[in-house]
Amino acid sequence: MSSAQPITLHPARPAQPQAGSDVTPAIPGHRVELQLLTTLKCNLKCTYCSLGVGEVLGSQTHVDYSLDQLENFVATHLGGYETYVTFYGGEPTLNTQYMQEVIARFPNFRYQLQTNGTLLDGLPDALLARMSNYLISIDGGETTTDGYRGRGIYRQVMKNLATVRPKIAGSATARVTWSHPEISFEELDHLTEIFDYLYFQFVADRGAYPAEGMAKRRAILAQMIDKFFRHTDRLYPIIPIMGMVRNKVMPSRAQELYQGKSQCRASTHILNVMPDGRIFPCPDLLYLPEMQQGSVVDNWLRASPLQADPAMPCSSCEAFAFCRGNCMKNLYLAYVKKDEDYRREVVEPICELVRFMGEEIDRHNPQEWFARASLPVRKQITDCEVYEYVEIMP
Ligand code: SF4
Ligand code: SF4
């Protein structure tokens, strides 16, 4: 069954629920992620950067709201929620002071850093020790990464990770945008040996999914999934596969943290706070005024406007039970904004790959594998903390 609801798109400031009222809260559930964009500047120029759309990248270079305003916002709207923070950008480590100030102000929050990794070695030890997870952007092996990010970046990131490893208690997750069809199984597989987890997402670029490129991606996905099911006593730590397997063996987990909506949290409980204090549900749609969900400066918050819509095809899709609408931004642009080229060249190929992954996983009988898996592996499949920090689906 679909959970599709009509989308509401009016950025006007809504009335806030009063204490004791039965008005639906802006954030459903009990958990909220504050994704604080410390700056929109970046020290790299990755060719596919999604902040390049709408000229968001570089447009705000320092945080304009005060910590008192942030605290006031949290007290007004997020009281009683388990709150965790992801520092995001631009490149968040360009504003280390702000990160330190936030941590000092909210010492009981959980923290994650999403970074390109190039400045990690310069962070103070106390800050490094505080992160529950590092999401480190990398594109694959050295040639691929340097091709997108600049010469020497792969080695620099690897060196930095090795330097900070003894100082960090949290996990390190490779965050890969799977950009071009020539990226090999071996280079992705190698990342699982260096990082604790690998999370990948299919690039949202037109022209990235020609027929032969789709065939290559399918072959690599099949290889990954085959390797995933080879062992029951050790985990092959690739988040989208882990998440899909979880959703198949324990369907309730596919719903409970996201109220049955998209697992990327954009429809429920992630608040992207721009340096100027405006709040949006998806970091890739900061350029659309109708997507504004709130403001730290003006202290208001409404439910995410980025919701499933009857125009989206998910309710009749065989993958819905484990996919749950993958990327709401993609679906919104393709089916609500009706960008036909984007639908044909980006969204439909990605959906095809998601369905393919589901079929490949089914071929390996995930229920039977889960029944034989060791307790630590089962625990990781059901409860891996990194699920809370990434979109889960590719
Ligand atoms: S594969 Fe595509 S159409 Fe199917 S549920 Fe996922 S996002 Fe929706
Ligand atoms: S997966 Fe979610 S957060 Fe990521 S781009 Fe899509 S809608 Fe935005």
Side-chain angles (χ1 to χ4, degrees):
M1 288 289 289
S2 164
S3 61
Q5 298 165 354
I7 204 158
T8 45
L9 293 176
H10 43 82
R13 177 181 172 161
Q16 290 304 312
Q18 300 302 307
S21 79
D22 57 4
V23 177
T24 310
I27 307 289
H30 306 285
R31 211 171 273 202
V32 64
E33 177 172 358
L34 274 176
Q35 185 144 279
L36 302 178
L37 285 77
T38 70
T39 174
L40 296 179
K41 256 192 317 190
C42 188
N43 59 333
L44 298 183
K45 286 193 171 62
C46 306
T47 46
Y48 55 75
C49 180
S50 58
L51 290 189
V53 180
E55 294 178 0
V56 173
L57 188 65
S59 61
Q60 294 169 31
T61 53
H62 44 78
V63 174
D64 285 336
Y65 56 86
S66 68
L67 278 183
D68 286 344
Q69 284 174 313
L70 182 61
E71 188 168 2
N72 194 26
F73 176 85
V74 167
T76 309
H77 303 284
L78 308 182
Y81 285 87
E82 179 188 337
T83 306
Y84 59 104
V85 167
T86 294
F87 293 113
Y88 192 84
E91 172 47 42
T93 56
L94 292 173
N95 194 352
T96 304
Q97 188 187 339
Y98 171 76
M99 294 197 285
Q100 290 172 303
E101 287 170 2
V102 169
I103 291 171
R105 184 68 73 108
F106 304 101
N108 287 335
F109 289 179
R110 250 188 300 157
Y111 292 94
Q112 168 183 235
L113 177 61
Q114 153 106 47
T115 174
N116 63 32
T118 55
L119 304 170
L120 262 184
D121 58 334
L123 296 184
D125 289 358
L127 187 63
L128 287 167
R130 203 60 178 71
M131 301 296 161
S132 295
N133 184 51
Y134 288 84
L135 266 185
I136 301 177
S137 303
I138 196 111
D139 299 299
E142 183 169 359
T143 308
T144 307
T145 300
D146 287 2
Y148 284 109
R149 291 170 184 265
R151 213 159 142 213
I153 296 297
Y154 180 87
R155 282 177 189 234
Q156 189 182 348
V157 172
M158 291 303 157
K159 184 171 123 307
N160 286 354
L161 180 59
T163 305
V164 302
R165 266 291 193 186
K167 303 174 184 177
I168 67 177
S171 46
T173 302
R175 195 202 188 288
V176 172
T177 300
W178 191 339
S179 310
H180 74 84
E182 299 308 324
I183 291 175
S184 68
F185 168 78
E186 286 71 23
E187 57 190 307
L188 295 175
D189 183 58
H190 182 57
L191 293 175
T192 67
E193 288 160 19
I194 298 170
F195 290 85
D196 300 309
Y197 300 95
L198 164 66
Y199 169 71
F200 66 80
Q201 199 166 39
F202 298 124
V203 71
D205 261 1
R206 292 196 175 125
Y209 300 97
E212 68 279 14
M214 288 290 282
K216 281 185 184 153
R217 281 186 170 89
R218 272 196 290 267
I220 293 172
L221 289 168
Q223 224 174 331
M224 278 178 174
I225 290 167
D226 193 52
K227 182 164 179 182
F228 181 91
F229 284 107
R230 215 171 286 161
H231 301 284
T232 50
D233 58 348
R234 63 175 190 268
L235 185 72
Y236 190 42
I238 299 187
I239 294 287
I241 303 176
M242 291 166 62
M244 284 190 200
V245 169
R246 174 198 69 173
N247 295 352
K248 284 174 179 285
V249 299
M250 207 158 283
S252 62
R253 291 287 168 102
Q255 303 198 37
E256 65 182 359
L257 283 175
Y258 336 92
Q259 319 295 312
K261 299 181 177 184
S262 169
Q263 297 173 102
C264 77
R265 303 149 285 152
S267 295
T268 48
H269 64 282
I270 184 168
L271 303 177
N272 290 275
V273 183
M274 291 184 79
D276 67 5
R278 285 180 299 142
I279 297 171
F280 291 78
C282 167
D284 286 7
L285 292 177
L286 305 174
Y287 60 94
L288 286 183
E290 73 263 29
M291 281 292 146
Q292 190 177 348
Q293 182 181 358
S295 164
V296 166
V297 175
D298 299 324
N299 198 15
W300 65 272
L301 181 69
R302 65 173 173 143
S304 167
L306 189 56
Q307 298 292 335
D309 184 281
M312 298 171 184
C314 302
S315 60
S316 57
C317 175
E318 74 224 33
F320 183 70
F322 69 88
C323 171
R324 310 214 73 84
N326 193 359
C327 172
M328 275 294 127
K329 171 204 76 175
N330 279 353
L331 295 172
Y332 178 71
L333 295 177
Y335 298 102
V336 178
K337 291 286 210 187
K338 302 201 185 308
D339 185 333
E340 292 299 313
D341 291 341
Y342 193 74
R343 172 178 65 74
R344 213 175 36 251
E345 293 176 35
V346 176
V347 182
E348 288 181 352
I350 291 176
C351 288
E352 200 181 313
L353 293 172
V354 167
R355 285 190 284 268
F356 175 78
M357 289 181 73
E359 287 160 16
E360 279 300 297
I361 288 170
D362 287 344
R363 259 186 355 96
H364 289 82
N365 195 345
Q367 280 80 8
E368 195 264 339
W369 173 85
F370 189 70
R372 288 188 293 112
S374 67
L375 276 182
V377 168
R378 289 167 70 116
K379 180 93 180 130
Q380 288 264 55
I381 291 293
T382 52
D383 295 328
C384 179
E385 188 178 344
V386 178
Y387 293 150
E388 295 184 52
Y389 302 123
V390 296
E391 292 89 335
I392 295 181
M393 293 300 294

